[in-house]
Amino acid sequence: MASLKITEGEADFSVPAAGKACKTWYKVFGDLKSGARPLIGLHGGPGAGHNYLMSLEDLTSKHGIPVILYDQLGTGRSTHLQEKNGDTSFWTIDLFLRELDNLLKHLGIQEDYDVFGNSWGGMLGAEHAVRQPVGLHRLVIADSPADMGMWVMAANKLRRQLPQEVQDVLKRHEDDGTTDSSEYEEAVMSFYKRHLCRVCPMPEEVVAMFDNIKMDPTVYHTMNGPSEFYVTGSLKDWAIVERLHKINAPTLLINGRYDEATDEVVEPYFEKVGKAKWVTFTESSHMPHLEERDRFIDVISRFLKY
């Protein structure tokens, strides 16, 4: 079997408000000229980086689907803008939509492509899809809310299932404004081991995701906040429920049985998107692409190819 073709590159991205030249780093698995429709993957966070989505390369090696992963602006190997920390007028959904459009054009695939988005990436994918881009063929929204208010309510229900001493640590640091402490981070991790990724020990690519945010928390802290359930950033009031009927691409919805994206936060997509299919992974939380990798790849490939 021939070795898998992998290429890396950077796309120039004009962002006048940045005050400097910006680039989007990307990696392509497979050949974009093969004739097979490519899938572009949108990572979560915001600010998590592409690393934890590397298992999507199985779609290329096993099913011949070219896959593009990239680091969104402010993350990983793309341009960092730590001087914009806390600037909610700069870090906007529109910025990341323009970056996606720019990359699609740079790669020359804007006329025919599929989108996969996990968590924040699914929110971004939905925002892209409601604009009805002509080239979008199929959409996968994985482990994503349609309304951040509902997300926080659901996450706090899960939080109340943590041991009381862990809940006490979380509340104390949130009340004291010390969410950057190692004690708070350790308490948050007990939530993540239940509802973010249940693989033990944590896979290297998930550790790399956490490292991306720790090395530069600019985007995550500005748009989200200190943790998945303590949302203080600009996304806290985001909702797309009333616009979901505009999505005309066939859409696959995914979540896990133990997901922080609980059924109640995924349900609006199923109710409002015209052509929607929903699959729940019974042994997974927020990352079924790692927790049930083989089944996940089978489900995704069938949706994209058939």
Short mmCIF file of all heavy atoms in Angstrom, two decimals, residues 116-141:
data_model
loop_
_atom_site.label_atom_id
_atom_site.label_comp_id
_atom_site.label_asym_id
_atom_site.label_seq_id
_atom_site.Cartn_x
_atom_site.Cartn_y
_atom_site.Cartn_z
N PHE A 116 -16.43 19.21 8.91
CA PHE A 116 -16.58 18.55 10.20
C PHE A 116 -16.17 19.53 11.29
O PHE A 116 -15.11 20.15 11.20
CB PHE A 116 -15.68 17.31 10.30
CG PHE A 116 -15.57 16.74 11.69
CD1 PHE A 116 -16.46 15.78 12.12
CD2 PHE A 116 -14.59 17.19 12.58
CE1 PHE A 116 -16.39 15.26 13.41
CE2 PHE A 116 -14.52 16.68 13.87
CZ PHE A 116 -15.41 15.71 14.28
N GLY A 117 -17.00 19.69 12.31
CA GLY A 117 -16.66 20.58 13.41
C GLY A 117 -16.93 19.91 14.74
O GLY A 117 -18.02 19.36 14.95
N ASN A 118 -15.96 19.96 15.64
CA ASN A 118 -16.13 19.41 16.99
C ASN A 118 -16.25 20.55 17.99
O ASN A 118 -15.43 21.48 17.99
CB ASN A 118 -14.93 18.51 17.34
CG ASN A 118 -14.91 18.13 18.82
OD1 ASN A 118 -14.17 18.71 19.60
ND2 ASN A 118 -15.72 17.17 19.20
N SER A 119 -17.27 20.49 18.85
CA SER A 119 -17.46 21.46 19.94
C SER A 119 -17.59 22.87 19.37
O SER A 119 -18.48 23.13 18.56
CB SER A 119 -16.31 21.32 20.95
OG SER A 119 -16.62 21.92 22.17
N TRP A 120 -16.70 23.80 19.74
CA TRP A 120 -16.72 25.13 19.13
C TRP A 120 -16.64 25.02 17.61
O TRP A 120 -17.26 25.81 16.89
CB TRP A 120 -15.58 25.98 19.67
CG TRP A 120 -14.99 26.96 18.69
CD1 TRP A 120 -13.78 26.89 18.07
CD2 TRP A 120 -15.59 28.19 18.21
NE1 TRP A 120 -13.59 27.96 17.22
CE2 TRP A 120 -14.68 28.77 17.30
CE3 TRP A 120 -16.81 28.83 18.46
CZ2 TRP A 120 -14.93 29.97 16.64
CZ3 TRP A 120 -17.06 30.03 17.79
CH2 TRP A 120 -16.14 30.59 16.90
N GLY A 121 -15.90 24.04 17.11
CA GLY A 121 -15.81 23.86 15.66
C GLY A 121 -17.15 23.56 15.03
O GLY A 121 -17.43 23.98 13.90
N GLY A 122 -18.01 22.82 15.74
CA GLY A 122 -19.37 22.57 15.25
C GLY A 122 -20.22 23.82 15.24
O GLY A 122 -21.04 24.02 14.34
N MET A 123 -20.03 24.66 16.24
CA MET A 123 -20.73 25.96 16.28
C MET A 123 -20.30 26.80 15.08
O MET A 123 -21.14 27.40 14.39
CB MET A 123 -20.40 26.69 17.58
CG MET A 123 -20.91 25.98 18.83
SD MET A 123 -20.02 26.43 20.35
CE MET A 123 -20.37 28.20 20.47
N LEU A 124 -18.99 26.81 14.81
CA LEU A 124 -18.46 27.55 13.67
C LEU A 124 -18.97 26.95 12.35
O LEU A 124 -19.35 27.69 11.43
CB LEU A 124 -16.93 27.53 13.71
CG LEU A 124 -16.19 28.32 12.64
CD1 LEU A 124 -16.51 29.81 12.72
CD2 LEU A 124 -14.68 28.10 12.77
N GLY A 125 -19.02 25.62 12.29
CA GLY A 125 -19.54 24.96 11.10
C GLY A 125 -20.99 25.30 10.85
O GLY A 125 -21.41 25.50 9.70
N ALA A 126 -21.78 25.37 11.93
CA ALA A 126 -23.19 25.75 11.78
C ALA A 126 -23.32 27.18 11.30
O ALA A 126 -24.16 27.48 10.42
CB ALA A 126 -23.91 25.56 13.11
N GLU A 127 -22.50 28.08 11.84
CA GLU A 127 -22.53 29.47 11.40
C GLU A 127 -22.15 29.58 9.91
O GLU A 127 -22.72 30.39 9.17
CB GLU A 127 -21.56 30.31 12.24
CG GLU A 127 -22.03 30.59 13.66
CD GLU A 127 -23.03 31.75 13.73
OE1 GLU A 127 -23.48 32.23 12.66
OE2 GLU A 127 -23.35 32.19 14.85
N HIS A 128 -21.23 28.76 9.49
CA HIS A 128 -20.83 28.71 8.07
C HIS A 128 -22.00 28.21 7.22
O HIS A 128 -22.33 28.78 6.18
CB HIS A 128 -19.62 27.79 7.93
CG HIS A 128 -19.12 27.62 6.53
ND1 HIS A 128 -18.47 28.62 5.84
CD2 HIS A 128 -19.16 26.55 5.69
CE1 HIS A 128 -18.12 28.18 4.64
NE2 HIS A 128 -18.53 26.92 4.52
N ALA A 129 -22.66 27.16 7.71
CA ALA A 129 -23.71 26.51 6.92
C ALA A 129 -24.98 27.36 6.78
O ALA A 129 -25.66 27.29 5.75
CB ALA A 129 -24.06 25.15 7.52
N VAL A 130 -25.33 28.15 7.81
CA VAL A 130 -26.55 28.96 7.70
C VAL A 130 -26.42 30.01 6.61
O VAL A 130 -27.43 30.54 6.13
CB VAL A 130 -26.95 29.64 9.04
CG1 VAL A 130 -27.24 28.61 10.11
CG2 VAL A 130 -25.90 30.64 9.49
N ARG A 131 -25.20 30.30 6.19
CA ARG A 131 -24.97 31.25 5.09
C ARG A 131 -25.13 30.59 3.73
O ARG A 131 -25.01 31.24 2.71
CB ARG A 131 -23.59 31.88 5.24
CG ARG A 131 -23.53 32.88 6.41
CD ARG A 131 -22.10 33.07 6.94
NE ARG A 131 -22.06 34.12 7.95
CZ ARG A 131 -22.46 34.01 9.21
NH1 ARG A 131 -22.99 32.87 9.62
NH2 ARG A 131 -22.38 35.02 10.06
N GLN A 132 -25.41 29.28 3.74
CA GLN A 132 -25.68 28.50 2.53
C GLN A 132 -24.60 28.65 1.46
O GLN A 132 -24.88 28.97 0.30
CB GLN A 132 -27.06 28.86 1.97
CG GLN A 132 -28.19 28.61 2.95
CD GLN A 132 -29.56 28.98 2.42
OE1 GLN A 132 -29.69 29.57 1.35
NE2 GLN A 132 -30.60 28.62 3.15
N PRO A 133 -23.32 28.41 1.82
CA PRO A 133 -22.25 28.48 0.82
C PRO A 133 -22.48 27.45 -0.27
O PRO A 133 -22.87 26.32 0.01
CB PRO A 133 -20.99 28.18 1.64
CG PRO A 133 -21.47 27.44 2.84
CD PRO A 133 -22.83 27.98 3.15
N VAL A 134 -22.24 27.85 -1.50
CA VAL A 134 -22.59 26.99 -2.64
C VAL A 134 -21.80 25.69 -2.67
O VAL A 134 -22.27 24.68 -3.17
CB VAL A 134 -22.40 27.74 -3.98
CG1 VAL A 134 -23.40 28.88 -4.10
CG2 VAL A 134 -20.97 28.25 -4.13
N GLY A 135 -20.59 25.71 -2.13
CA GLY A 135 -19.75 24.52 -2.23
C GLY A 135 -19.91 23.51 -1.12
O GLY A 135 -19.39 22.39 -1.21
N LEU A 136 -20.64 23.87 -0.07
CA LEU A 136 -20.79 22.96 1.06
C LEU A 136 -21.74 21.83 0.71
O LEU A 136 -22.91 22.05 0.44
CB LEU A 136 -21.31 23.72 2.29
CG LEU A 136 -21.58 22.84 3.54
CD1 LEU A 136 -20.30 22.17 4.02
CD2 LEU A 136 -22.20 23.69 4.65
N HIS A 137 -21.22 20.60 0.74
CA HIS A 137 -22.01 19.44 0.35
C HIS A 137 -22.65 18.76 1.56
O HIS A 137 -23.86 18.53 1.59
CB HIS A 137 -21.13 18.44 -0.41
CG HIS A 137 -21.87 17.30 -1.01
ND1 HIS A 137 -22.63 17.42 -2.15
CD2 HIS A 137 -21.99 15.99 -0.61
CE1 HIS A 137 -23.18 16.25 -2.44
NE2 HIS A 137 -22.80 15.36 -1.52
N ARG A 138 -21.83 18.44 2.56
CA ARG A 138 -22.33 17.79 3.78
C ARG A 138 -21.65 18.39 5.00
O ARG A 138 -20.51 18.85 4.94
CB ARG A 138 -22.12 16.28 3.73
CG ARG A 138 -22.94 15.63 2.61
CD ARG A 138 -23.22 14.17 2.87
NE ARG A 138 -24.28 13.73 1.96
CZ ARG A 138 -24.96 12.62 2.12
NH1 ARG A 138 -24.73 11.82 3.14
NH2 ARG A 138 -25.90 12.28 1.25
N LEU A 139 -22.38 18.36 6.12
CA LEU A 139 -21.93 18.98 7.36
C LEU A 139 -22.00 17.97 8.51
O LEU A 139 -23.00 17.27 8.66
CB LEU A 139 -22.82 20.19 7.68
CG LEU A 139 -22.63 20.88 9.04
CD1 LEU A 139 -21.27 21.57 9.12
CD2 LEU A 139 -23.76 21.90 9.25
N VAL A 140 -20.95 17.90 9.32
CA VAL A 140 -20.95 17.09 10.53
C VAL A 140 -20.76 18.01 11.73
O VAL A 140 -19.76 18.73 11.82
CB VAL A 140 -19.84 16.03 10.53
CG1 VAL A 140 -19.93 15.16 11.80
CG2 VAL A 140 -19.91 15.16 9.28
N ILE A 141 -21.75 18.04 12.62
CA ILE A 141 -21.67 18.82 13.85
C ILE A 141 -21.51 17.84 14.99
O ILE A 141 -22.42 17.08 15.31
CB ILE A 141 -22.94 19.68 14.04
CG1 ILE A 141 -23.07 20.69 12.89
CG2 ILE A 141 -22.90 20.39 15.39
CD1 ILE A 141 -24.35 21.52 12.95
#
